[in-house]
């Protein structure tokens, strides 16, 4: 082992008048870093959350307003970035809004094909069982990174959320056309997957930014 850490934190949030507790979170995490740069973590979290109004957590499932205390155990294992395939595998089990939650996820994924093409996939599955209903929340993401030249980077991000039935995509060009001067071009859109056929467009944006370093 290279390093062992034990981290603890406590957050306490009140309203502006200091008459009502809105959120409390206490967390303890044990980190174990290997000599090959892999990192294993296990943590315990105890939360209190005040919902001032009813909360629609999923389609057809609404959590009534009130105060809720829940706890969870989080575990993860992160593979070092020096590997050809890297990423973090995580699992969570605990309580949520008087019910239970179980989660599995892959995040910070990194797959290298060559020095010009990389992928960063990710996926999270949440099985939630509440007194007011049960649902499975699925979140799938993928980032593609293309580097045609050392000064140019093209990246795209696609994210699908099964609970909200949304699909969002974005593409960004970052070109350093001269030292410390850059051109940014960003396109993004959001779609809904509720209806049949091709996802319907909800929003779209296009942005251009140019920076130029001036020396005096």
């Amino acid at each position: 082992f290279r390093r062992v850490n034990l981290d603890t934190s406590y957050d306490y949030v009140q309203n502006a008048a200091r008459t009502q507790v809105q959120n409390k979170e206490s967390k303890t995490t044990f980190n174990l870093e290997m000599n090959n740069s892999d990192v294993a973590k296990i943590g315990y979290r105890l939360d209190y959350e005040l919902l001032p109004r009813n909360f629609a957590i999923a389609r057809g499932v609404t959590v009534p307003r009130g105060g809720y205390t829940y706890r969870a155990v989080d575990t993860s294992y992160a593979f070092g970035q020096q590997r050809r395939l890297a990423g973090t595998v995580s699992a969570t089990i605990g309580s949520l809004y008087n019910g239970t939650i179980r989660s599995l996820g892959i995040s910070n994924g990194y797959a290298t094909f060559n020095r010009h093409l990389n992928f960063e996939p990710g996926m999270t599955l949440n099985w939630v069982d509440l007194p007011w209903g049960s649902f499975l929340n699925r979140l799938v993401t993928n980032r593609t990174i293309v580097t045609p030249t050392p000064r140019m980077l093209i990246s795209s991000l696609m994210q699908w959320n099964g609970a909200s039935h949304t699909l969002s995509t974005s593409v960004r060009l970052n070109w350093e056309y001269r030292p410390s001067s850059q051109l940014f071009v960003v396109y993004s859109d959001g779609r809904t997957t509720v209806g049949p056929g091709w996802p319907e467009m909800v929003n779209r944006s296009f942005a251009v930014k140019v920076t130029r370093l001036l020396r005096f």
Side-chain angles (χ1 to χ4, degrees):
F1 304 123
R2 178 188 300 172
R3 184 170 58 182
V4 177
N5 288 343
L6 180 64
D7 300 325
T8 62
S9 64
Y10 182 74
D11 294 334
Y12 185 88
V13 181
Q14 291 182 310
N15 60 356
R18 298 184 180 180
T19 59
Q20 190 177 56
V21 178
Q22 296 180 326
N23 183 270
K24 292 187 294 183
E25 180 187 76
S26 58
K27 182 165 55 176
T28 301
T29 305
F30 178 76
N31 304 320
L32 186 62
E33 184 176 345
M34 318 296 183
N35 284 325
N36 61 359
S37 76
D38 291 358
V39 178
K41 294 183 181 181
I42 182 169
Y44 177 78
R45 189 177 73 249
L46 176 63
D47 297 331
Y48 170 80
E49 182 181 1
L50 177 65
L51 293 180
R53 58 184 65 85
N54 294 347
F55 172 44
I57 191 172
R59 187 176 297 272
V61 181
T62 300
V63 180
R65 65 179 183 177
Y68 296 90
T69 300
Y70 44 88
R71 61 201 70 203
V73 176
D74 306 310
T75 60
S76 67
Y77 191 92
F79 297 91
Q81 290 292 326
Q82 82 280 2
R83 302 176 184 270
R84 193 172 184 87
L85 294 175
T88 301
V89 180
S90 60
T92 300
I93 184 170
S95 57
L96 179 70
Y97 298 130
N98 294 340
T100 61
I101 180 172
R102 294 170 296 156
S103 301
L104 289 176
I106 300 175
S107 59
N108 301 320
Y110 193 80
T112 302
F113 285 83
N114 55 53
R115 62 191 183 94
H116 297 294
L117 180 62
N118 302 293
F119 295 96
E120 297 181 0
M123 180 179 65
T124 302
L125 300 175
N126 296 309
W127 291 270
V128 182
D129 186 11
L130 303 179
W132 311 280
S134 303
F135 61 93
L136 169 62
N137 184 22
R138 293 161 290 185
L139 179 65
V140 180
T141 63
N142 180 67
R143 185 187 301 274
T144 304
I145 302 175
V146 181
T147 52
T149 69
R151 290 189 175 183
M152 180 179 293
L153 182 145
I154 304 172
S155 65
S156 66
L157 174 65
M158 179 176 292
Q159 179 172 288
W160 173 69
N161 191 321
S164 59
H165 299 280
T166 58
L167 175 67
S168 59
T169 58
S170 66
V171 180
R172 185 186 69 174
L173 167 67
N174 184 0
W175 175 36
E176 189 176 12
Y177 58 92
R178 59 180 300 164
S180 301
S181 299
Q182 296 180 319
L183 168 67
F184 299 90
V185 180
V186 181
Y187 169 83
S188 61
D189 64 37
R191 299 174 181 269
T192 177
T193 60
V194 174
W198 187 256
E200 181 181 355
M201 180 77 66
V202 176
N203 57 69
R204 175 186 293 168
S205 65
F206 182 80
V208 178
K209 177 182 177 181
V210 180
T211 65
R212 175 68 182 270
L213 176 65
L214 301 178
R215 298 182 183 273
F216 298 94

